[in-house]
Amino acid sequence: MSSIELTPSQKTILTALLNLHREAEDAIKGEDIAAEVDRNPGTIRNQMQSLKALQLVEGVPGPKGGYKPTANAYEALDVQEMDTVAEVGLLHDGEEVEEANVEEISLTSVHHPELCRAEIHLRGSVREFHEGDEVTVGPTPLSKLVVEGVVDGKDDTNHILILKISEMEAPAEQPEH
């Protein structure tokens, strides 16, 4: 799967759509996305055309219509492997973890958006993490993505935490004036 290069604006809008869709479990109106990212609905419609062309979003016609993310949307936002072991912050129950380095964040279970999980690959042990602990990862160097969630499982041998995502955000770049 080749990775799709999204513009910061597309990332912001797609992230907003994924979050709104996870809460509503229904098609999301352009106006709602516009409100979420503080842009005008026309901008959102234009961006949606390009996201549809990339097959990341599908339009749902009708009065209850709007946009839904496709499975590819999760893949496209899938946080790239960190080039360097970047300074990606990791908070464990609100406390910064000094010796943990996040190597990779991958968003899994794409076909069940309501069960959105993230796999966090750490350098260093995951022994101190327990199910139900709150973890915040990010911001990542490129997309400035921040993932918050609760530990849902872990793989000690491979240093992987499985988080049940409660919130994802990629900050919007400053709106053009």
Side-chain angles (χ1 to χ4, degrees), residues 24 26 42 50 69 72 74 76 78 100:
D26 206 354
S50 62
N72 297 347
Y74 292 88
D78 200 349

Side-chain angles (χ1 to χ4, degrees), residues 17-30:
L17 174 62
L18 292 176
N19 280 325
L20 291 166
H21 182 255
R22 194 175 60 241
E23 288 162 26
E25 296 183 21
D26 206 354
I28 303 301
K29 298 203 174 320

Side-chain angles (χ1 to χ4, degrees), residues 5 10 49 79 89 99 104 127 142 147 162 164-165 172:
E5 284 299 310
Q10 286 173 325
Q49 293 310 320
V79 182
E99 62 284 352
E104 187 189 346
R127 269 201 314 274
L142 294 174
V147 177
I162 309 288
K164 190 168 164 198
I165 296 176

